[in-house]
Amino acid sequence: MSIKAKLLLTVSALFTLAMGISNVFLNILLWKESKNFIVLAEYNLMQYVFHPPAFLFAGWLSKRKNGIWSLRLGILFYIIFFGLILLFEDKISKFVLLFGILYGVAAGFYWLAFNVLSFDFTSTENRDTFNGYNGSIAGICGAVAPISSAYIINKNIMGMGYTIVFSISLLLFIVLILISFLLKAEYYGSKMNIKKIFGSNSYDWSFLRKGLFIWGFRDVIIGFLIVVLVFKTTGSEWSVGTFSLIASVISSVAFVVEQKLIKPKLRIKSMLAGAILMFIAVWGLVVNISYETLLLYMIMESAFLPFFLVPFSSASFNIISLQHQEDLRLEYIINREIVLNIGRIVSLLILIGLLWFIKYDQSLNYFLLFIGCTQIISLYFLRKMKVWGL
């Protein structure tokens, strides 16, 4: 990989560390304040409602100015987000919609830049390698961050456990915005192609969009629900940190193994194996949500997710390259994120509806069964893409 790609991996590592230190425990703090899964769902819903508009504005800004502006603005919004968390720490559940919106805007700006730079700094020959190493590094940072936060919160020095954790994230983002000045973004063109942003664009891309929409159903829920269920079951931030440590170590190893073993011609088989084994993993939670079933789920999920996710992550960039539409990579990436977030929004609205009308313990079991099979449905569409044979 190039020096630029390695520098981008450094940015990714610090970002993952900053988010890993706080993001898990922010959802727990919301749960402790509200004792209501609907509040958590609303917080996450606002993120994904405002994520696509932020992507669009970031794309427009990148066309008018320079792509690196999006990265810096995203980091700046994260700085504002964590600054406000420190200011309203004891009553963030009262401003849950505001925090969800701010997080969504920050994520939109940051991820547009990161995805475009990932495309620019890699090629079809080394994209799986980049994604594999990125997943492995994220796993290591994801292992270190939550257990460190859990230790700090457990010690609760001067009653400031959560304050110290959020302050560390804030400082890491300040470091990140300084590092961003070492990155140079290429010129993306002067005008956005609206047709490419909202169109199906090609045979392969139309099936990718269907797969992304279905994947979005699962992607958003797993991100916060399992962690809160661990805390609800154990009543301990230390247990959350321990679970996260185990999951991240396994995930980091699995990403490296996937990168070493899975060659281009084996991508579909890799995804099928990962999808089926992730579906098996969720069945324990459907029967009974307990410490043992949560631990088993996290171990299996961490071990088999990379075998589905790495080829999936590379596919969209490879389609752009094979169609020789690199100049429209920004539009394609926005298109991809809009579809993915629509899936997330629909999933969260279904969850909120279930929580309103069904006793939440039951509804969560049913919903976990539903989202536990969505990766298999997603693969049904993804396997039809011709890109796998190239």
Side-chain angles (χ1 to χ4, degrees):
M1 291 184 292
S2 66
I3 293 175
K4 292 189 293 185
K6 291 175 181 177
L7 184 58
L8 189 60
L9 287 176
T10 303
V11 170
S12 178
L14 288 173
F15 176 83
T16 306
L17 191 62
M19 296 306 296
I21 284 172
S22 291
N23 212 29
V24 167
F25 295 99
L26 179 56
N27 281 289
I28 289 175
L29 189 59
L30 278 171
W31 167 257
K32 289 175 75 172
E33 286 188 13
S34 67
K35 297 293 191 296
N36 192 338
F37 278 106
I38 293 178
V39 171
L40 291 168
E42 288 174 344
Y43 167 66
N44 283 272
L45 178 63
M46 287 298 100
Q47 292 180 29
Y48 297 114
V49 167
F50 281 84
H51 198 160
F55 251 80
L56 283 168
F57 187 79
W60 174 84
L61 181 64
S62 297
K63 291 282 188 177
R64 292 290 301 271
K65 298 287 186 181
N66 186 290
I68 205 66
W69 280 67
S70 175
L71 183 74
R72 291 172 187 156
L73 278 174
I75 295 170
L76 179 61
F77 278 119
Y78 276 119
I79 290 172
I80 295 170
F81 174 82
F82 282 106
L84 290 175
I85 289 290
L86 289 169
L87 186 63
F88 295 104
E89 184 182 324
D90 295 331
K91 45 191 173 183
I92 58 171
S93 61
K94 295 180 180 179
F95 303 97
V96 67
L97 299 183
L98 170 64
F99 282 112
I101 292 169
L102 187 54
Y103 187 101
V105 171
F109 276 92
Y110 175 85
W111 285 112
L112 176 83
F114 184 83
N115 287 327
V116 172
L117 291 172
S118 296
F119 180 92
D120 289 345
F121 298 164
T122 60
S123 65
T124 53
E125 286 76 27
N126 65 8
R127 202 155 281 144
D128 281 354
T129 301
F130 177 88
N131 286 325
Y133 279 118
N134 188 43
S136 179
I137 291 169
I140 294 169
C141 293
V144 172
I147 196 70
S148 302
S149 297
Y151 178 80
I152 293 169
I153 292 170
N154 226 36
K155 287 292 183 181
N156 202 27
I157 301 169
M158 297 174 63
M160 297 179 63
Y162 277 95
T163 301
I164 293 170
V165 163
F166 295 137
S167 297
I168 292 171
S169 287
L170 179 61
L171 288 173
L172 284 171
F173 275 108
I174 292 171
V175 172
L176 263 174
I177 206 166
L178 296 176
I179 292 175
S180 71
F181 286 94
L182 299 175
L183 288 169
K184 302 295 181 183
E186 296 182 22
Y187 178 64
Y188 300 154
S190 59
K191 188 176 181 181
M192 291 178 69
N193 188 322
I194 301 299
K195 185 178 179 180
K196 289 293 180 185
I197 289 176
F198 294 103
S200 58
N201 297 331
S202 71
Y203 178 88
D204 273 9
W205 197 261
S206 66
F207 283 110
L208 179 77
R209 282 159 52 93
K210 293 181 178 73
L212 278 168
F213 173 75
I214 300 299
W215 176 254
F217 276 61
R218 182 188 196 280
D219 178 52
V220 62
I221 302 300
I222 296 299
F224 76 91
L225 189 56
I226 298 299
V227 167
V228 175
L229 286 173
V230 171
F231 179 78
K232 181 176 178 291
T233 303
T234 64
S236 166
E237 285 93 350
W238 183 253
S239 294
V240 174
T242 303
F243 270 53
S244 298
L245 173 62
I246 294 169
S248 296
V249 170
I250 294 171
S251 176
S252 182
V253 173
F255 270 108
V256 173
V257 170
E258 194 283 338
Q259 189 268 318
K260 296 293 184 183
L261 294 183
I262 305 303
K263 305 306 177 187
K265 291 183 179 180
L266 296 175
R267 286 169 178 163
I268 286 293
K269 291 181 179 178
S270 170
M271 294 178 75
L272 179 61
I276 292 173
L277 289 165
M278 284 191 290
F279 179 57
I280 293 171
V282 82
W283 270 97
L285 298 178
V286 174
V287 175
N288 181 38
I289 297 174
S290 65
Y291 180 91
E292 291 76 18
T293 56
L294 283 164
L295 180 60
L296 179 61
Y297 170 80
M298 292 189 79
I299 290 172
M300 292 186 67
E301 171 81 5
S302 303
F304 302 120
L305 175 63
F307 290 88
F308 183 90
L309 195 57
V310 171
F312 191 9
S313 300
S314 301
S316 56
F317 289 162
N318 290 343
I319 293 170
I320 298 169
S321 294
L322 293 167
Q323 291 181 176
H324 305 292
Q325 293 195 321
E326 287 86 353
D327 290 344
L328 295 170
R329 60 198 180 282
L330 189 147
E331 284 87 346
Y332 272 100
I333 289 169
I334 294 173
N335 180 299
R336 185 186 70 180
E337 290 299 316
I338 288 173
V339 173
L340 177 62
N341 280 281
I342 290 173
R344 291 166 168 170
I345 290 166
V346 172
S347 181
L348 281 164
L349 288 173
I350 294 171
L351 176 60
I352 290 171
L354 287 172
L355 293 173
W356 270 109
F357 297 110
I358 303 175
K359 186 176 181 292
Y360 72 79
D361 284 331
Q362 281 185 303
S363 63
L364 289 180
N365 288 66
Y366 300 147
F367 196 66
L368 283 169
L369 177 61
F370 166 63
I371 63 171
C373 70
T374 51
Q375 69 276 4
I376 298 174
I377 303 171
S378 178
L379 185 58
Y380 170 79
F381 296 107
L382 295 172
R383 68 181 177 83
K384 297 184 179 184
M385 298 191 302
K386 296 177 181 177
V387 72
W388 304 120
L390 301 173

